[in-house]
Amino acid sequence: MGIINPFKKETDKKTVHFQLASTRNLLLIFTRNPELGKGKRRLAATIGDEAALNIYRFLLQHTVSVTENLAFDKRVYYSEKIGNSDIWKEDFYTKKLQQGQDLGIRMANAFLEGFADGFEKICIIGSDLYDLEQTDIENAFLALNDHDFVVGPAADGGYYLLGMKIWKPSLFEKKTWGTDTVLAATLTDLKKEKVHLLPTKNDVDTYEDIKDVAAFHPFIKHL
């Protein structure tokens, strides 16, 4: 599927309800290609580029550990290029490339592609949440049995999971991505919808997020 701009079509102004014969679940995993000096810039400012890269690789592996055994389809969306022979094994994951000029359009395109392929319930997560467990993702899909949307709030004002069975393009528009306004703006968009909120969790962006977590101590012992 080519690049979609989901905000140009007239029909995109209305919520489209995808009614399918049977429920099919899809997990979207957005990941950044791990490269020295790129990503986790606020964390790197305190602990250095190499340590920040090692922590991100650790978080990627954690994301694999909590998703590979999920009993439904999983697609990994790379930021720059699709990795070969990496930790995302083709036996468990379909590999894709993010498409679009900003995070909102890239996420919208991934959801639209999933709905177009016949999936009924779709959730998206990132790859930098050490607090995330397999049961959190399973509970998100279960919540979509009785709700149209599910949101996992992040302590920094964003979200670590977004799920839906109704397409709502406004969720991906007019957001200042990467700031503490994203969660509030998203919940405003959903104020008239049937939404389930997951427990709030803390993602990893700064030194304060990891300094008291034993699992990260080997990466910051040089400080």
Side-chain angles (χ1 to χ4, degrees):
M1 177 177 285
I3 297 176
I4 302 168
N5 187 334
F7 309 130
K8 286 188 177 178
K9 298 179 182 178
E10 245 178 54
T11 54
D12 287 342
K13 295 178 182 178
K14 298 181 179 179
T15 298
V16 178
H17 195 168
F18 290 83
Q19 297 179 335
L20 303 176
S22 62
T23 298
R24 297 181 62 206
N25 296 340
L26 173 64
L27 178 67
L28 310 172
I29 304 169
F30 264 40
T31 183
R32 179 181 292 277
N33 294 82
E35 297 181 54
L36 187 66
K38 295 183 179 181
K40 295 296 168 200
R41 301 315 303 147
R42 285 184 288 167
L43 181 61
T46 303
I47 69 173
D49 286 341
E50 186 173 355
L53 176 60
N54 289 336
I55 284 177
Y56 185 55
R57 286 175 171 157
F58 171 73
L59 292 169
L60 289 174
Q61 188 61 62
H62 174 74
T63 307
V64 169
S65 72
V66 300
T67 59
E68 64 182 356
N69 294 319
L70 290 167
F72 38 79
D73 286 76
K74 301 173 286 287
R75 294 179 177 178
V76 177
Y77 279 82
Y78 292 79
S79 61
E80 305 295 334
K81 59 183 179 181
I82 294 176
N84 297 312
S85 301
D86 60 6
I87 62 174
W88 307 101
K89 304 303 181 186
E90 285 83 355
D91 290 345
F92 301 100
Y93 304 94
T94 299
K95 297 183 176 185
K96 301 273 187 176
L97 191 63
Q98 298 172 29
Q99 303 282 357
Q101 290 135 349
D102 67 27
L103 180 60
I105 293 177
R106 292 196 295 270
M107 290 194 296
N109 283 333
F111 272 98
L112 281 172
E113 186 173 13
F115 283 130
D117 289 340
F119 292 96
E120 187 179 40
K121 294 191 287 187
I122 305 177
C123 292
I124 190 169
I125 62 171
S127 51
D128 59 356
L129 192 75
Y130 181 67
D131 288 343
L132 189 67
E133 300 296 339
Q134 179 174 322
T135 53
D136 296 316
I137 303 169
E138 292 169 338
N139 288 337
F141 280 97
L142 286 173
L144 288 173
N145 289 336
D146 302 311
H147 301 79
D148 294 325
F149 300 90
V150 58
V151 178
D156 64 359
Y159 55 76
Y160 62 86
L161 182 148
L162 176 67
M164 67 183 71
K165 60 186 181 186
I166 291 178
W167 171 240
K168 194 173 180 68
S170 62
L171 294 175
F172 307 102
E173 299 177 273
K174 300 177 182 177
K175 305 291 186 298
T176 308
W177 302 106
T179 71
D180 60 6
T181 66
V182 172
L183 177 63
T186 299
L187 294 180
T188 296
D189 290 336
L190 294 172
K191 62 184 177 182
K192 295 182 180 180
E193 307 290 353
K194 293 178 64 177
V195 184
H196 176 77
L197 291 181
L198 298 172
T200 299
K201 292 183 179 290
N202 189 38
D203 55 9
V204 175
D205 288 314
T206 68
Y207 176 69
E208 296 300 314
D209 296 327
I210 66 170
K211 66 182 181 64
D212 297 320
V213 181
F216 294 107
H217 290 173
F219 302 106
I220 56 177
K221 60 186 179 182
H222 62 289
L223 298 179

